[in-house]
Amino acid sequence: MTAHPHQLALGAMLDKGVETNAICWGRRNGKTEAVWMWLLGLLDSEPDTFVVMTAQTAVKARERFMAHARRLDRHYPEDAGGPKIRKGAVVDMDFQNGSRLWVVAPDEDSFRGDEARVVFFDEAQSYDKERGESLKQGAMPLLDSVDDGQIILAGTPGNVRAGWFWDALNLGAKEEPGHVSSWLSAGDDIAAVDLDDEDVWRSVLPGIGTITTLDKMRARRAGLSDPAWAQEYLGIWPKVLGETAISAEAWENTCLAADGFPELPDAFALALSVLPPNDAASSLTAAYRDADGHGYVTTLHHQGGTAGLARVAGEILTKYPRVRLVYDGIGANNEPIKVLERDTRLRSRVHKVTSGDVQAGQAALVRELHEGTVFHREGQSGMDTAAESLRWNEAADKGRWFGFKKSGADISPLSGAALALWDIDQNVPRKTITKVHKA
């Protein structure tokens, strides 16, 4: 493992023993690698040292662990003095000096009853305010009986200026007691930064010339919208009020006038979504992509309740014989689907998806809206309301998904948009938008 100067500087910061360490670096700077180098050195050199590590999900934490476990197996195996590594139900590594590192799910209960010299939270920006507070309450007692115990929070800028990670960064920047920060950012306001100035890039991307190259960063810049580039690489936290999943800026930037919005192609994906738990509203949403990969989502039908929803869906499928309909197989969606499937001509074109597909589609839609690669049409009030209200629902080790109850509004148009966009990418061949129909 090669430590570059900026990574060595981070190690020196961690060596100071400050209790809460917040690290906010843009992509391709090697922050996670630097923390792992420091942790492995700590474990190998200090006897009876205990480290707990987690990430945005248990799966992601395990993936990070396995990457370093494989490296240790190759270059520092157990028979050469390296740690004993377990990769089964228990995921940990035990060093021969009595030190140990183990991986847990990002769940408050995962930390109860233990103590640790270091607790490392990777991708800390993924925790919303409520979840971050819960994890903080679970993790901090692990340090109570350890003289030099430390918390490490590492990540890129989140979508909201709130939560444990955001607070820790600011407390460290102010040199408040018990807090220190390593924060690489081009500024506080995207409007005040020349996003294409390569000198600005170099000032906040020490990975250029060490871990990555300037040519690769030019390629990344060409493929990202201004907000996405500023957030992911230049370390600028977006100015978003509240905790909505979609920023007002991103929604406005991806809105196309009706006369500039491409009409429906022959092949698109159609998604049915019903608002739980009392079926108060429902929608049918279409998604499609052009030859350049840009996505388009539009509501074809939006109503109160579900009466007649199956009939409208059937009419759309009949009109567009190359279209398939997808739905999330939860209770609220099943009743209109049962009605629709009675038509034997349409039954084979109706497809239920898994909860994992739903989460993947929702994450992709929000990400692409912020990157500026998916567009919606102006004048669709139902979708606008959904975007203004949309909030995430999160659970430890289960990821996150659109929170129907937490959003406090009808978000069925966006729920359908996410699912239809996912289906386009998985199951519908991409077509150039040339042959169109009126929606």
Side-chain angles (χ1 to χ4, degrees):
M1 301 174 75
T2 302
H4 299 287
H6 65 287
Q7 294 173 310
L8 291 170
L10 180 63
M13 184 189 88
L14 296 174
D15 279 341
K16 294 178 181 178
V18 178
E19 184 173 75
T20 299
N21 302 260
I23 305 160
C24 186
W25 293 4
R27 302 292 180 192
R28 304 285 77 84
N29 279 320
K31 62 183 174 300
T32 299
E33 184 87 344
V35 173
W36 270 95
M37 282 190 276
W38 185 81
L39 290 175
L40 292 173
L42 179 73
L43 290 160
D44 197 44
S45 61
E46 292 191 6
D48 301 317
T49 295
F50 303 101
V51 172
V52 181
M53 181 265 171
T54 191
Q56 62 267 55
T57 67
V59 172
K60 290 296 184 182
R62 183 186 177 95
E63 288 176 356
R64 295 291 173 89
F65 173 91
M66 291 302 298
H68 293 283
R70 287 190 288 268
R71 178 179 283 171
L72 287 166
D73 280 340
R74 291 196 308 273
H75 302 294
Y76 194 31
E78 185 179 358
D79 58 10
K84 177 181 179 62
I85 299 174
R86 284 186 286 261
K87 310 169 187 176
V90 175
V91 181
D92 66 3
M93 56 179 69
D94 286 318
F95 288 74
Q96 296 185 20
N97 61 2
S99 294
R100 180 187 182 215
L101 181 149
W102 72 99
V103 175
V104 300
D107 182 351
E108 177 184 357
D109 293 333
S110 299
F111 304 107
R112 297 195 182 280
D114 293 305
E115 66 175 30
R117 165 70 168 80
V118 178
V119 186
F120 173 34
F121 293 90
D122 200 7
E123 300 297 340
Q125 79 281 0
S126 65
Y127 308 131
D128 65 17
K129 186 175 182 179
E130 181 178 339
R131 192 176 185 197
E133 187 62 30
S134 175
L135 290 171
K136 181 180 180 180
Q137 291 176 0
M140 295 306 290
L142 271 65
L143 312 183
D144 287 348
S145 58
V146 181
D147 291 339
D148 51 358
Q150 291 176 271
I151 295 288
I152 301 175
L153 301 163
T156 55
N159 293 327
V160 178
R161 298 186 177 200
W164 187 18
F165 186 39
W166 170 255
D167 292 342
L169 281 168
N170 282 279
L171 289 171
K174 296 175 183 176
E175 299 183 350
E176 295 290 342
H179 292 80
V180 66
S181 298
S182 179
W183 194 348
L184 300 178
S185 176
D188 183 60
D189 188 351
I190 184 175
V193 176
D194 183 351
L195 303 180
D196 296 309
D197 186 340
E198 295 183 357
D199 288 335
V200 172
W201 299 3
R202 290 186 181 92
S203 71
V204 295
L205 291 169
I208 294 176
T210 54
I211 296 170
T212 189
T213 66
L214 183 58
D215 284 343
K216 287 186 177 181
M217 291 300 97
R218 287 168 178 161
R220 297 296 174 272
R221 174 63 182 113
L224 291 175
S225 67
D226 287 355
W229 172 252
Q231 184 174 353
E232 293 296 321
Y233 286 87
L234 301 189
I236 302 175
W237 285 66
K239 289 188 174 182
V240 181
L241 298 177
E243 296 181 6
T244 53
I246 301 171
S247 74
E249 181 182 32
W251 190 249
E252 181 181 356
N253 289 342
T254 54
C255 180
L256 296 180
D259 59 1
F261 197 87
E263 296 176 325
L264 291 173
D266 284 338
F268 61 89
L270 180 68
L272 179 148
S273 180
V274 178
L275 181 67
N278 56 3
D279 308 351
S282 57
S283 62
L284 294 164
T285 308
Y288 43 100
R289 287 192 187 275
D290 62 23
D292 295 323
H294 297 129
Y296 304 90
V297 294
T298 182
T299 304
L300 301 187
H301 180 73
H302 190 202
Q303 66 175 66
T306 59
L309 181 65
R311 175 185 55 78
V312 176
E315 292 173 352
I316 295 172
L317 291 175
T318 300
K319 182 178 180 181
Y320 302 106
R322 297 180 60 194
V323 168
R324 45 185 275 144
L325 181 143
V326 289
Y327 71 100
D328 183 4
I330 60 175
N333 295 311
N334 286 320
E335 289 307 313
I337 290 295
K338 288 178 182 177
V339 176
L340 187 62
E341 288 182 330
R342 291 172 190 163
D343 189 332
T344 57
R345 299 169 301 171
L346 303 177
R347 187 179 300 158
S348 65
R349 295 165 61 194
V350 177
H351 303 272
K352 180 171 71 173
V353 301
T354 68
S355 59
D357 298 335
V358 172
Q359 286 181 281
Q362 292 174 352
L365 175 65
V366 172
R367 182 183 67 252
E368 288 204 56
L369 283 168
H370 284 93
E371 292 175 351
T373 56
V374 166
F375 302 90
H376 59 97
R377 187 172 60 190
E378 71 172 355
Q380 295 199 317
S381 60
M383 197 170 278
D384 290 337
T385 298
E388 292 171 1
S389 308
L390 184 64
R391 282 168 169 74
W392 290 110
N393 200 9
E394 300 191 46
D397 204 25
K398 294 182 180 179
R400 61 180 184 174
W401 57 94
F402 290 174
F404 281 90
K405 183 177 180 180
K406 197 170 184 179
S407 298
D410 176 15
I411 62 169
S412 66
L414 275 181
S415 176
L419 199 52
L421 190 69
W422 173 88
D423 193 55
I424 274 288
D425 291 334
Q426 300 298 317
N427 300 303
V428 181
R430 184 172 297 172
K431 298 290 184 180
T432 302
I433 298 179
T434 53
K435 188 174 181 180
V436 299
H437 302 279
K438 291 293 184 181

